[in-house]
Amino acid sequence: MSVYSRARRALPARVKTPLRRALKGTLRTVDEYLPDSLSRRVRRAVGRSTPARAPRGAAPAGDPLGLAPGRGPAASLATVATGRAAAVTGRDPESAHRLNRALLGGRAPRPAGGGRRIAVLAAADLVAGLESAGHEVHPLLPGTARATIDLSEVAVIDLAGVAGTWAGALDAEGVALYLELQDALSHARSQGVSVWLVDRGPDRFRLGAVALRRDGGVLTIRPGAVPPQHHITEDPGDAPTGVVDLLRDLDPLQPPSGHEPAAPQPVAQPAPRTASDALTNGSQEARR
Amino acid sequence: MNGTETAGTEAGSEPANPSGTLPPQRRVRVLLYGDVDLNIIDGSAVWLTSMARTWSLAGAQVDVQLKAVEDRTLLSGELRNMPGVTVWPAHPPQGRRALEPVPAADALQKLDGQDPYDVVMVRGIRICRQIARRGAFAGRLWSYVTEFGYPQDASDADADADAGAGAGAERWQQLGEIAAASRLMLAQTEQARAVLEAMVPAAAGQTVVLSPMVPDAIGPSTTRVAAVTPAASAGPVASTAPPAAPGTGEPVRLVYTGKFARRWRTDQMPEIVEGLRAGGVAAELTMVGDKVQHDPEHPDWAEHMRAVMDAPRPDVAWLGALDRTAALDAAAGADITLGWRDEELDLSLELSTKVLESCALGVPPLVNRTAAHEELLGVDYPLFVDGAADGPRQIARTIAAVRDQLPQLSARVLAVAEPFRMTARAETLKTWLARIGLPGPAQSRRSRPVRVVVAGHDLKFAGELVDLLTDHPDVDLRLDHWSSLHHHDEAASRDLVDWADVVMCEWAGPNAVWYARHKKAGQRLVVRLHMFELRGRWLSELASDAVDRFVTVSEHYRDLVVEHLGLAAERVSVIPNAVSLADLDRPGLPGRQHRLGLVGIVPLRKRLDRAVDLLRELHRTDPRYTLHLRGRMPWEYPHEWRKPVQREAYMDLFARLGADPVRHAVAFEPFGADMAGWLRKIGWVLSPSTVESFHLAPAEGMASGALPVLWDRPGARDIFGDEFVVQDTAAAARLILETDADDDARAARQRTARERVAGFDERTVTAAWQQVLLSGL
């Protein structure tokens, strides 16, 4: 018999009952802050009728999809913030997956007819083209983009399709959306998912478009442009190249502006970017 | 109410000031410092002189602390000759030529200690960090930092990244420290402001755009440019007729000024002239500068550049380095200035001063097409080039195509430069000063400041109040930030209640109960209620007689408070939440009318279901509409997620939405502090709540040019007006579709919205707070 059981037996009923009630009330308030072992001991002390707490990491009762994060979002600000800044919290890398489970209940769509599962952020013509070719298209959407990558084998970002829910993502004002997209693409690369960028349309000069083109992990296709020439020893001729063929044949959506490229430069690995690299006004800050 | 009887108060020494308003104005005093060496004539050094000049034009007294010992006086001499400007030489430690951040901050604090400034404007991240760490110039620091760029990937942004993450993450953290210590942050462009506010929450709402300045005297005539001296008039010079187009056979004159560097494409510029000649267009190129930059990625490039410079070309002149006036003169003599560069540089958030100077000279610049350049010069500007694809021959074709339009382009770019003239920028400075209540009184009439404590667990609605109290010269402000609704450092609170003349409890929670219980004699206690407090069990413990004034955010909520607490109506003041019209008034982005915004979807009374139903209804007619939800998910609020009925309601709603075709028109966006930037893309701010005491989001939307839609509820019409309140979702859809189908109707509603929201402007609201908190003290 445990010490708690002996203590319970020793107490008169007129003391035991109100004491148990008081302890249960306290336990409800503090339990989530207690280490597991102490929580178990306190629950034993107040009697078996107190519901066991779910093991840490498991979805709490009423949350079968495990939506609630461990302790809630941690504040990212060390100082006292006022105004809107007071409401900001740190980034939760699992947020997209939680939301996606809420929306889809954890179901994973299945490819059909041999088509590829392709995550897309694209204009309507590209989506239609992929679907006509038998592929299964999963739209990348703000809030769930990272989770959609997990369902996909290929990702296609079409600069002409950055609109609708992604409107502004290529501009400075939409940098939060851009970073969510970049996070999803980074996740794609870590999963071995190829990321193709369709470089077309009037928005190809926007900040985010320039940044995507310069991203070494993104494979850029410019519709209508002459494809790179292969060395004679590795020329595949007219072998089909799947999604790439489809992307190359797209309408560039603007008149071709270049008849010859900028003077050839030796190909170099992009240098690590620093904050000063993008400064242009010859300021002394840029030289530090 | 009168002053407290704490130690140190001199009885009878403080005159009554019942209105709480500030005495008459005086001249603003500014201390200006840039982490720049004026011996090196470049963009940032020129900025210092331009900034001093602009402050002087705004009527300020300007003291400039130099960073470096003066070896060349070209720029420092110009400063000394400016009216209203005093120059303080640098006195670096022995053996050094320039001040490092620590001695620089010491020098600035020493000057301020002798005679405090209204504004301390500092440029450079290192000096700004040093000052922020010291907590110096509280409420007066204006920080100008350009050492950040567009965060190109997630590692640039993630402040939680593991050790070894890119410099970006650390930089944002540094900027956060600076922003938290600054009254205003300055950004060079609208793009820079947007990125700064998105990445640094503390910068949101307090960042203004300080674009580059061009002297008023710079104009199209070379004679006029040669006369740009410190003694020259600051007023705009009368414009002359635009230059004629190059006649047949006359060469098109191109000029480049600046460093010779690979990413600036300087080695390829002579090929543009060859391309023009091949197309039958005579051309001349003048290259000004002599500094060939080494490129570590392409170690042979510098040698290649020198070979280009040495190759004899009759139509290319290499003038070497020229002083600023001569360089401007060379540019003024050209038909087109060349600003072509590698696309990588298009990721900069800065606007080139050279581009603006070219415009001010009436010389059209050839530049890469970027969003920033499109905003400046117009989408249809014919001298844009594709930084990723265009080479010298395509650029030659571009130039040849506009040859006959050069006079018109000259006039066009001259007009573009006007808002960037120093006189125009000086007016902008004045509006910023007015926004923060400067100039204030000549000197305080009090022997000591009024001691104010603001206490509460959530200060997100107290931003303007804290700014008011921080800015006020007669107030010493301290914050008692409770760690949660119920928890605080009681010892710290005891110290503060002993110290304070005035305590303002933000939210009528246990904080109000505690401060009422511990109130000192002669102390003023003000409590603001927002919403949920009326159902709080603690409210029965509130000694309401100890509260000198209750504040609510709306008339409707005042009525509830009066009834619930049994108060006399005159004890409750209505002060609405503040909206910063100055910050929110930014240009809308294209397509905004088809974007619905909803800020906050928790708790259930926020009625996300109505917003989704509205989207579904709109899509029957027009599938272009999208719904943008900004806020945390319900499962991120433990105390809300614990409620079973509410949890079930959300799960049902999300499941239905997940299977609905409109799911593809819904964007779940994370909450951010940069509301002004976010609202630029939103055309309709929804307020479908069944209960709100005020609801700040639609008010902010109205100030931004968006339109509000509020489902009818008690108090909504009083705050927002009848025109924006609807009976049900079908009526909301009709309002939106009818308005968006008629540009005039939309414009009229936007005017109405802006007029209505003017009453919530921060300046009006802070005056009301001043009255409640400080009158009679």
Side-chain angles (χ1 to χ4, degrees):
Chain A
M1 184 184 292
S2 71
V3 62
Y4 307 106
S5 300
R6 282 200 293 271
R8 277 205 305 275
R9 285 200 173 184
L11 290 172
R14 69 179 187 280
V15 173
K16 196 164 28 180
T17 303
L19 178 60
R20 191 190 307 142
R21 279 202 206 111
L23 286 172
K24 279 184 187 175
T26 304
L27 178 63
R28 272 195 291 276
T29 305
V30 306
D31 189 39
E32 65 178 316
Y33 302 104
L34 297 176
D36 285 347
S37 59
L38 184 55
S39 172
R40 283 193 295 274
R41 290 168 69 180
V42 172
R43 281 202 300 281
R44 275 204 303 273
V46 300
R48 281 177 299 190
S49 61
T50 305
R53 188 177 70 182
R56 285 189 188 278
D63 191 8
L65 299 180
L67 298 176
R71 277 274 185 266
S76 61
L77 302 171
T79 56
V80 175
T82 62
R84 286 284 187 189
V88 174
T89 61
R91 189 169 66 89
D92 172 13
E94 287 299 306
S95 63
H97 294 82
R98 288 183 218 283
L99 177 56
N100 210 52
R101 287 199 294 275
L103 291 165
L104 302 179
R107 303 185 307 273
R110 302 189 184 285
R116 311 282 297 289
R117 293 193 303 268
I118 304 183
V120 301
L121 196 181
D125 63 332
L126 174 46
V127 173
L130 288 170
E131 289 176 334
S132 295
H135 299 296
E136 189 173 285
V137 169
H138 298 280
L140 288 164
L141 294 168
T144 55
R146 194 178 161 107
T148 304
I149 294 292
D150 281 341
L151 308 173
S152 311
E153 306 165 56
V154 179
V156 175
I157 309 299
D158 176 11
L159 291 179
V162 182
T165 52
W166 292 99
L170 299 178
D171 293 317
E173 288 74 18
V175 70
L177 284 176
Y178 174 81
L179 288 173
E180 179 180 351
L181 181 62
Q182 263 293 354
D183 179 64
L185 300 185
S186 173
H187 181 59
R189 287 191 287 271
S190 73
Q191 303 297 308
V193 173
S194 299
V195 179
W196 298 94
L197 175 70
V198 182
D199 183 15
R200 63 170 182 162
D203 290 337
R204 48 188 300 277
F205 302 103
R206 302 201 166 275
L207 276 170
V210 175
L212 282 168
R213 265 200 299 279
R214 300 199 58 79
D215 186 336
V218 168
L219 308 156
T220 299
I221 299 270
R222 190 136 186 239
V226 175
Q229 301 301 299
H230 293 283
H231 190 271
I232 189 169
T233 59
E234 57 180 5
D235 187 353
D238 60 356
T241 54
V243 167
V244 176
D245 287 332
L246 195 151
L247 301 183
R248 284 209 177 109
D249 289 341
L250 285 169
D251 181 354
L253 294 181
Q254 63 185 46
S257 64
H259 297 291
E260 57 33 273
Q265 297 285 348
V267 175
Q269 290 299 316
R273 288 187 300 274
T274 65
S276 66
D277 279 358
L279 296 176
T280 63
N281 66 358
S283 65
Q284 295 173 24
E285 290 95 336
R287 288 197 285 274
R288 293 201 188 105
Chain B
M1 280 300 292
N2 46 30
T4 184
E5 293 174 9
T6 56
T9 305
E10 294 172 32
S13 63
E14 282 75 44
N17 188 7
S19 71
T21 56
L22 298 176
Q25 298 181 349
R26 53 167 180 80
R27 211 166 162 202
V28 170
R29 297 188 66 247
V30 176
L31 177 57
L32 178 63
Y33 180 80
D35 193 6
V36 294
D37 185 343
L38 293 193
N39 299 306
I40 301 171
I41 300 174
D42 63 7
S44 49
V46 169
W47 172 87
L48 189 69
T49 58
S50 298
M51 197 67 243
R53 183 79 171 132
T54 306
W55 271 118
S56 175
L57 287 172
Q61 264 177 259
V62 190
D63 283 13
V64 180
Q65 170 64 59
L66 296 183
K67 169 187 167 133
V69 173
E70 297 163 77
D71 297 326
R72 302 166 71 179
T73 58
L74 189 63
L75 291 181
S76 59
E78 190 178 321
L79 277 175
R80 285 201 167 77
N81 287 324
M82 284 182 194
V85 176
T86 302
V87 177
W88 297 88
H91 297 291
Q94 194 160 14
R96 295 204 178 254
R97 303 289 302 159
L99 294 171
E100 289 298 307
V102 169
D106 290 340
L108 295 175
Q109 283 187 285
K110 185 179 173 188
L111 282 173
D112 188 60
Q114 292 164 5
D115 191 357
Y117 295 91
D118 299 297
V119 174
V120 179
M121 179 187 265
V122 179
R123 175 173 179 166
I125 191 169
R126 296 191 311 155
I127 180 64
C128 287
R129 284 189 68 206
Q130 178 60 225
I131 291 172
R133 276 197 214 118
R134 298 178 181 207
F137 315 121
R140 298 175 292 142
L141 179 63
W142 294 23
S143 296
Y144 184 30
V145 177
T146 60
E147 293 94 332
F148 65 93
Y150 186 74
Q152 294 170 57
D153 60 45
S155 68
D156 280 347
D158 191 355
D160 297 327
D162 296 336
E170 190 183 337
R171 182 56 50 90
W172 300 121
Q173 207 148 357
Q174 293 168 353
L175 289 167
E177 293 165 9
I178 294 170
S182 301
R183 184 61 183 87
L184 288 183
M185 292 289 285
L186 308 171
Q188 209 205 58
T189 61
E190 194 62 70
Q191 286 79 18
R193 172 161 72 164
V195 169
L196 183 63
E197 289 185 328
M199 304 303 296
V200 181
Q206 63 178 70
T207 301
V208 292
V209 177
L210 179 67
S211 52
M213 295 146 283
V214 290
D216 295 340
I218 286 183
S221 156
T222 55
T223 304
R224 206 175 302 125
V225 166
V228 173
T229 66
S233 163
V237 184
S239 60
T240 61
T248 307
E250 280 185 21
V252 175
R253 295 162 299 171
L254 310 176
V255 72
Y256 172 82
T257 63
K259 65 173 143 256
F260 296 157
R262 183 186 66 85
R263 290 187 297 177
W264 275 254
R265 305 280 199 222
T266 49
D267 58 319
Q268 300 178 55
M269 287 180 180
E271 295 174 50
I272 298 174
V273 177
E274 288 170 15
L276 280 164
R277 195 172 57 235
V281 178
E284 290 173 353
L285 171 62
T286 301
M287 300 289 283
V288 177
D290 64 356
K291 187 173 175 184
V292 177
Q293 222 174 46
H294 172 67
D295 190 322
E297 292 174 43
H298 299 87
D300 296 336
W301 185 86
E303 189 181 332
H304 164 69
M305 181 68 214
R306 290 192 192 93
V308 168
M309 294 165 74
D310 289 338
R313 283 184 169 86
D315 44 13
V316 180
W318 303 87
L319 299 190
L322 298 178
D323 65 27
R324 177 168 156 72
T325 302
L328 281 171
D329 206 15
D335 296 310
I336 295 172
T337 57
L338 297 181
W340 175 41
R341 58 194 186 180
D342 188 290
E343 183 190 45
E344 181 178 353
L345 299 175
D346 292 342
L347 289 169
S348 167
L349 300 173
E350 295 187 47
L351 185 58
S352 166
T353 307
K354 265 199 305 188
V355 169
L356 289 177
E357 286 177 341
S358 183
C359 292
L361 290 169
V363 180
L366 180 137
V367 289
N368 287 13
R369 180 185 289 275
T370 64
H373 287 156
E374 283 184 343
E375 270 183 37
L376 178 70
L377 295 161
V379 174
D380 62 343
Y381 182 68
L383 279 173
F384 283 137
V385 299
D386 183 336
D390 286 353
R393 291 211 184 125
Q394 176 56 35
I395 291 172
R397 279 192 285 271
T398 299
I399 291 173
V402 305
R403 189 162 178 266
D404 294 334
Q405 303 171 40
L406 288 173
Q408 291 80 12
L409 283 179
S410 173
R412 175 172 174 169
V413 301
L414 262 176
V416 161
E418 285 310 301
F420 299 93
R421 300 274 182 189
M422 281 184 189
T423 303
R425 302 312 296 158
E427 292 303 308
T428 303
L429 284 178
K430 289 181 195 172
T431 63
W432 296 347
L433 292 172
R435 180 178 160 187
I436 61 174
L438 285 175
Q443 58 183 9
S444 173
R445 297 178 187 172
R446 302 183 55 84
S447 60
R448 71 157 177 80
V450 177
R451 296 171 178 167
V452 178
V453 168
V454 174
H457 71 291
D458 178 359
L459 302 181
K460 67 172 172 286
F461 294 117
E464 81 286 351
L465 175 62
V466 169
D467 285 342
L468 158 72
L469 297 171
T470 305
D471 291 343
H472 202 297
D474 290 336
V475 169
D476 186 356
L477 171 68
R478 295 186 188 177
L479 299 181
D480 183 5
H481 189 216
W482 287 37
S483 56
S484 73
L485 182 63
H486 295 274
H487 299 104
H488 67 131
D489 179 345
E490 182 151 6
S493 296
R494 284 188 186 279
D495 288 342
L496 288 169
V497 78
D498 287 342
W499 171 84
D501 301 316
V502 180
V503 176
M504 191 292 199
C505 287
E506 171 72 344
W507 304 86
N511 57 327
V513 172
W514 191 92
Y515 273 96
R517 189 176 300 144
H518 295 88
K519 183 185 176 187
K520 303 298 177 194
Q523 194 174 63
R524 179 180 296 183
L525 176 61
V526 177
V527 174
R528 173 154 82 164
L529 301 95
H530 286 273
M531 170 65 105
F532 78 96
E533 301 99 310
L534 284 189
R535 62 178 187 269
R537 284 192 297 270
W538 58 83
L539 216 51
S540 61
E541 301 170 40
L542 175 64
S544 56
D545 288 345
V547 179
D548 297 290
R549 183 144 297 269
F550 291 87
V551 175
T552 64
V553 292
S554 65
E555 296 282 351
H556 167 63
Y557 208 62
R558 175 172 69 177
D559 295 342
L560 289 176
V561 166
V562 163
E563 180 188 336
H564 192 93
L565 297 183
L567 302 172
E570 56 269 19
R571 291 187 63 202
V572 186
S573 297
V574 175
I575 302 180
N577 283 324
V579 171
S580 175
L581 301 187
D583 183 54
L584 288 159
D585 187 15
R586 304 184 189 186
L589 295 176
R592 74 185 302 191
Q593 67 272 25
H594 294 116
R595 294 186 207 111
L596 318 175
L598 179 60
V599 181
I601 62 170
V602 185
L604 200 58
R605 63 175 172 81
K606 292 285 185 179
R607 299 303 301 271
L608 171 60
D609 61 298
R610 284 175 167 172
V612 175
D613 288 344
L614 171 61
L615 183 68
R616 211 176 276 122
E617 187 68 28
L618 289 169
H619 270 225
R620 286 189 220 284
T621 306
D622 190 337
R624 289 178 295 177
Y625 284 94
T626 49
L627 174 61
H628 300 261
L629 306 175
R630 200 177 217 209
R632 301 206 287 269
M633 293 299 107
W635 45 85
E636 294 183 74
Y637 295 89
H639 61 283
E640 296 291 342
W641 198 238
R642 232 178 254 138
K643 301 172 185 172
V645 172
Q646 181 157 246
R647 194 169 60 235
E648 171 55 28
Y650 276 113
M651 291 310 304
D652 183 68
L653 192 156
F654 277 102
R656 285 190 296 111
L657 177 58
D660 194 316
V662 297
R663 160 72 186 103
H664 299 157
V666 179
F668 289 87
E669 302 184 23
F671 182 78
D674 57 331
M675 286 299 297
W678 185 76
L679 282 167
R680 290 183 68 190
K681 74 175 184 185
I682 301 295
W684 295 93
V685 177
L686 306 182
S687 180
S689 313
T690 47
V691 181
E692 290 284 354
S693 58
F694 182 84
H695 207 183
L696 186 56
E700 290 179 321
M702 290 156 81
S704 78
L707 292 174
V709 181
L710 303 105
W711 277 244
D712 202 358
R713 60 174 180 259
R717 292 179 189 272
D718 288 337
I719 299 171
F720 293 99
D722 292 334
E723 37 297 81
F724 302 114
V725 178
V726 295
Q727 282 306 315
D728 53 32
T729 300
R734 280 195 302 274
L735 172 64
I736 290 171
L737 289 168
E738 283 166 9
T739 304
D740 287 344
D742 183 343
D743 289 344
D744 291 338
R746 174 163 257 279
R749 287 205 156 105
Q750 283 174 314
R751 279 192 299 273
T752 301
R754 282 204 161 99
E755 284 164 13
R756 183 157 284 271
V757 83
F760 309 141
D761 181 53
E762 57 191 346
R763 286 173 291 189
T764 304
V765 170
T766 52
W769 275 113
Q770 205 154 247
Q771 176 72 22
V772 164
L773 293 175
L774 304 175
S775 65
L777 294 180

